[in-house]
Amino acid sequence: MTPAFLIRPAGGVRPPARVRPRGAFLSGLPLLVGSALLPGAGAAPVSGQESLNDAVPAEVLDERSSPLPRAFPATGLRQVEVEVDGRLDDAVWDEAERLSGFIQGSPEEGIPAEHDTEVRILFGDDAIYVAARMWDTEPERIGTQVVRRDGRGAFDRFGVALDTNLDRRTGYYFQVSAAGVQRDEYLFDDNRSDDAWDAVWESAVEVDDRGWTVEIRIPLSQIRYEAAATPQDWGVNFDRRRLATDEVSYYALISRQQGGRVSQFARMEGVSVTRAVRRIEARPYLLSSLHRGPAEPGNPFFDGREAQGRFGTDLRFGLGSAFTLDATVNPDFGQVEADPAVINLSAFETFFREQRPFFVQDANLLSFSLSGGQNNLFYSRRIGRSPQGGSPEGADFVDTPDAATILGAAKITGRTAGGLSVGGLLAVTQEEVGRAFLAGEQRFTDFMAEPQTQYGVLRLEQDFNGGASQVGGIVTTLNRTLPADGSFDFLTSSAFSTGLRFEHQWSDRTWALSGFFTGSHIRGDSTAITRIQRSSNHFFQRPDATRESVDSTATSMTGMEWRLELEKRRGEHWTWGVWLGELTGGMEINDLGFSRNRERLDGGFRIGYREIQPSALFRNYNLSFFTFHNFSHEALDDAGSFDSWRKAHTSGSFSLTGQGEFQNFWGARLDLSVNPDTYSRTATRGGPVMMDPGSWRAALRLNTDRRQALNLSGNVSYRDGFDRSGSQFSVGGQVEVRPSPRLELSLGPEWSVQRDPAQYVTATDEVPFEPTFGRRYIFGDLDRRTLALETRANLSLSPTLTFQLFAQPQISSGDYLGYRQLAAASSFDFRDFQEGVVVSTPGGGVGCQGGDICRTADNLWHVDLDRDGGADFDFSDRDFNFRSLVGNAVLRWEYRPGSTIFVVWQRRQSEFADVGDFDLGRDLGALFDVPADDRFIVKVNYWLGL
């Protein structure tokens, strides 16, 4: 396979007329590049940077953006033999045309790069070879910080990007730092990237007195392309960052005035890849782990120490040149990075990002995002989730698996030359069985902890109009094999969702119209459907609901969500967008997806102004205004009434943000926002609507020059609620120190104080209360204080041998200063309970003398709701102190390309105490007295390219 090809810029923003391409463009000849050029056709070696920086006539600019003749037929070399050592002394490089004349993307877009770059590219039978020289008149200032693979840092870098289908939306990016650290990304949706994508490739660098050089070998087995008997065109680009001046330059300018990235690549013509290379990979692994933690007396399942071992393999098969089948046998889905400690006092689930390698790889091809943050039709952490079954009544000790075992999983991903993207996944988790021990009977018993479950996802997307328009869809399905005894009737038996998405861009991708429509359908016993109707995403049981109610006989539920958005994405200064959307009450995707949204009508608008050209004060800056508003469908009860819409207003905000980078490389960001009064459908946890007073917020963030060995950042924010609805103050910062290019230390303290006078506590109907529909809703006046200290140490002995240490101690207190009852629905009015003294009533009960609430020695609050002298109900005291230390240490050695040894230590220490007030000395001392739960893991994998 010996292609001939040429490269020319295609699409994107043309550099301004003052740009004068240099170097290889001096002669105005076609840019012919390849592994099979006529002998002697390459340009003569350039003796120094001066010849590369000579100016050329401005009219040459037009030649760079105009069509160039195709390359002549390939003759000469048939094989490429390059020793990848970074020295560029292989004779084969003399046969390749040299590309230079890089354009500055920042700080000043469109001018010639201050320090040019020269690139050569060759195709071999099974790999692509790239060589580059980064000219630099101050080689002593080249940044050479060493970090872990895929890490970011203070270093010079060079990158090559390939759009192998010329779809102007997807591609591959390979980057090498001046210290030899590799980074690779899969590019998709034109301007998004997935840095979890990992390929196995080679690179080497060399620093000398003229700058630095790099050689890269990219096996064709690591990328997807369509083999063809005739020459084809690919997209290509090269970029460079020079740390000393923070200059970023490109071969084909990636303009910040345009939203896309891949669509601005140059065109590489005449690429001849006549056959697909074999793509079969296996990555077997061995894992050994030791768990040590506190043991409970009498617990027969854990005596404080447990050792385990396992083995398995991940397999990857190339299906032609465009598709890949991934499969896993006895997979290892253990996490190296621990989930952060979180205190969740809301009604909604906490989102944790996916960290398991099998699911992270090519995750974008299975994603279908919805409105609002992390909401998605597919949330891979549902597969292998924690078992949901309860233990038998009366059990003293229980042994339940941490996660459902994945019996097998396979996925197919790829993209055709015609612009069709495909992603499909199948997975099966086994029925999990737990064991319980009843000490009184000295008896063990088994119980089902999780039923067997099957999962399926299929996503397709087709490009049109040169990648400027797309139509795509997704289908997800889940099926549980529930037992016939009804013990798991609280779970759905099956769940389905589907989605259709479109995007159309026009006027050179300046304007865009996009949207999606999704639907969901779940089935199960009436117990499961009733539970979901009453969950926090729905709250159909609300007593004042006018459009929803609980149907206790229902065995299915269906809903939908849609969104339509019009945007101006491209412009020298101004961009904007406007959108509308809707989510119906029956939409439920949390069996296989993730959503915290509930029914709503949605609308919003944003407008932004940016200045990318440096001024006397700023290198660049931008301003943006953003507003959104959500309304319950109950607004439509009287659609012509302003009051109906006001009371149905569930959330909204007016926000103004400004951020910029100063000429001294410092940065700043200022956020100002105002939230109007809204009416919450969730604050009473299924009770009536409650008013949520508005608030204002201001936040400021500053950072020093991140390129320096010592850099600092700090942030402060303050929010104040209207109508005495609470406040929040937080301050934090980060100190990063790099004593040497191989060592980085960072310390990030954060302190916050929050006052919430309406933290939900409980509800009761012991004494009916008509203003809130018969039930009484109890809230607490909560004072929260949290101190956290995120600490990291990164030691990189080489680009392939790194040690990382992470620790996050956190102390949080929650002091309930008083308790109160909601006085009326649709209000923020409360009846404050007055604390009294515990007394005994004539009937042997508890009474509160001198007040209507009092606390007994067992930390129970007793409330006299009707003030008749006797307590009507009680609840436990909610004061808390949470002390947590989460940490891990990871030694990673990539002992050969694609093959890695991990040595991991994970530690967790945490406890809850019912103290309430914040005392740093006491809580810190108590934290280190908490028994530790430690896990030690050694994992070895070996990559085989077959």
Side-chain angles (χ1 to χ4, degrees), residues 600-828:
R600 69 184 186 190
L601 300 167
D602 178 26
F605 172 77
R606 62 170 177 80
I607 185 169
Y609 177 88
R610 62 191 174 200
E611 179 57 74
I612 63 173
Q613 298 300 339
S615 63
L617 181 61
F618 290 100
R619 286 166 55 87
N620 59 78
Y621 67 87
N622 64 73
L623 302 168
S624 64
F625 173 77
F626 171 83
T627 183
F628 78 94
H629 299 277
N630 295 334
F631 300 86
S632 168
H633 283 82
E634 291 169 351
L636 304 178
D637 292 347
D638 187 2
S641 166
F642 173 79
D643 192 58
S644 178
W645 286 91
R646 180 179 64 85
K647 291 184 177 179
H649 194 191
T650 57
S651 63
S653 179
F654 300 92
S655 302
L656 180 65
T657 299
Q659 62 180 0
E661 184 180 19
F662 298 101
Q663 285 292 354
N664 63 354
F665 296 95
W666 286 37
R669 177 187 173 104
L670 176 65
D671 293 285
L672 302 172
S673 63
V674 176
N675 300 332
D677 294 348
T678 55
Y679 289 82
S680 173
R681 268 71 177 160
T682 61
T684 57
R685 306 297 196 269
V689 168
M690 176 175 160
M691 184 180 179
D692 184 7
S695 63
W696 66 269
R697 176 180 178 272
L700 176 65
R701 180 179 180 86
L702 294 170
N703 66 268
T704 64
D705 186 352
R706 300 186 187 280
R707 304 169 306 150
Q708 301 302 315
L710 171 64
N711 64 84
L712 311 173
S713 64
N715 61 83
V716 59
S717 71
Y718 181 76
R719 182 189 64 83
D720 190 29
F722 305 148
D723 195 22
R724 295 171 297 173
S725 59
S727 62
Q728 182 174 10
F729 170 78
S730 66
V731 60
Q734 188 171 40
V735 180
E736 290 187 355
V737 182
R738 292 189 295 273
S740 76
R742 300 183 184 277
L743 178 62
E744 181 178 62
L745 307 173
S746 69
L747 199 65
E750 186 169 355
W751 165 253
S752 67
V753 178
Q754 179 180 354
R755 184 71 177 271
D756 184 357
Q759 173 62 50
Y760 178 82
V761 174
T762 189
T764 180
D765 57 4
E766 287 293 330
V767 178
F769 187 66
E770 185 177 353
T772 52
F773 299 90
R775 289 179 66 83
R776 296 174 186 259
Y777 298 90
I778 312 302
F779 294 83
D781 184 3
L782 174 62
D783 179 72
R784 287 189 62 182
R785 297 167 187 265
T786 300
L787 177 64
L789 182 65
E790 183 176 292
T791 306
R792 293 182 183 271
N794 300 320
L795 175 62
S796 300
L797 300 176
S798 75
T800 57
L801 180 59
T802 59
F803 175 78
Q804 295 179 301
L805 177 67
F806 164 77
Q808 184 195 46
Q810 177 178 317
I811 298 171
S812 183
S813 68
D815 189 4
Y816 284 80
L817 306 177
Y819 296 96
R820 49 194 6 201
Q821 175 191 321
L822 183 65
S826 299
S827 77
F828 196 70

Side-chain angles (χ1 to χ4, degrees), residues 913-931:
D914 55 1
V915 181
D917 66 310
F918 186 91
D919 185 314
L920 179 60
R922 178 200 65 204
D923 291 332
L924 194 60
L927 170 61
F928 291 105
D929 289 336
V930 174

Side-chain angles (χ1 to χ4, degrees), residues 303-357:
D303 62 1
R305 181 185 180 94
E306 181 182 29
Q308 290 183 338
R310 62 186 302 164
F311 65 91
T313 187
D314 293 336
L315 303 171
R316 170 165 282 203
F317 303 90
L319 304 179
S321 55
F323 291 92
T324 301
L325 173 66
D326 291 280
T328 183
V329 178
N330 195 23
D332 167 41
F333 291 138
Q335 297 176 354
V336 172
E337 183 87 7
D339 290 327
V342 175
I343 302 174
N344 186 354
L345 298 180
S346 75
F348 300 96
E349 177 185 10
T350 299
F351 177 89
F352 292 106
R353 67 185 179 91
E354 180 62 84
Q355 301 183 81
R356 300 172 295 181

Side-chain angles (χ1 to χ4, degrees), residues 531-549:
R531 178 184 63 84
I532 290 172
Q533 292 177 85
R534 300 178 67 88
S535 67
S536 59
N537 278 31
H538 304 284
F539 285 146
F540 283 7
Q541 71 271 30
R542 276 182 38 236
D544 54 355
T546 62
R547 292 179 164 250
E548 301 165 336
S549 61

Side-chain angles (χ1 to χ4, degrees), residues 436-624:
F437 179 67
L438 289 76
E441 305 175 27
Q442 288 294 298
R443 179 172 62 90
F444 291 90
T445 184
D446 293 341
F447 64 94
M448 181 185 289
E450 181 76 8
Q452 185 185 89
T453 309
Q454 301 86 42
Y455 305 84
V457 182
L458 176 64
R459 185 175 184 271
L460 304 174
E461 185 174 72
Q462 178 65 56
D463 290 352
F464 302 95
N465 191 26
S469 303
Q470 297 81 37
V471 175
I474 189 174
V475 176
T476 74
T477 179
L478 171 144
N479 182 72
R480 293 188 175 98
T481 306
L482 300 180
D485 62 6
S487 58
F488 275 80
D489 282 353
F490 64 91
L491 294 179
T492 57
S493 58
S494 58
F496 309 90
S497 70
T498 185
L500 179 68
R501 184 188 302 280
F502 77 92
E503 180 181 71
H504 175 59
Q505 301 175 88
W506 67 95
S507 294
D508 202 9
R509 307 195 185 210
T510 299
W511 298 90
L513 179 67
S514 61
F516 66 78
F517 177 88
T518 63
S520 69
H521 180 74
I522 58 173
R523 297 175 185 170
D525 187 83
S526 58
T527 303
I529 305 303
T530 299
R531 178 184 63 84
I532 290 172
Q533 292 177 85
R534 300 178 67 88
S535 67
S536 59
N537 278 31
H538 304 284
F539 285 146
F540 283 7
Q541 71 271 30
R542 276 182 38 236
D544 54 355
T546 62
R547 292 179 164 250
E548 301 165 336
S549 61
V550 175
D551 181 357
S552 59
T553 65
T555 57
S556 65
M557 192 164 80
T558 303
M560 71 168 189
E561 180 178 0
W562 63 267
R563 179 184 175 101
L564 188 66
E565 183 169 9
L566 175 66
E567 298 175 275
K568 181 180 183 290
R569 295 180 173 176
R570 178 175 174 178
E572 183 179 358
H573 296 296
W574 294 97
T575 58
W576 56 266
V578 60
W579 65 90
L580 293 172
E582 180 185 15
L583 176 73
T584 66
M587 184 75 174
E588 174 57 46
I589 64 170
N590 284 302
D591 283 292
L592 189 50
F594 183 91
S595 176
R596 287 183 289 222
N597 285 339
R598 64 185 319 276
E599 63 88 14
R600 69 184 186 190
L601 300 167
D602 178 26
F605 172 77
R606 62 170 177 80
I607 185 169
Y609 177 88
R610 62 191 174 200
E611 179 57 74
I612 63 173
Q613 298 300 339
S615 63
L617 181 61
F618 290 100
R619 286 166 55 87
N620 59 78
Y621 67 87
N622 64 73
L623 302 168
S624 64

Side-chain angles (χ1 to χ4, degrees), residues 30-44:
L31 303 180
L32 304 179
V33 187
S35 65
L37 299 179
L38 291 175

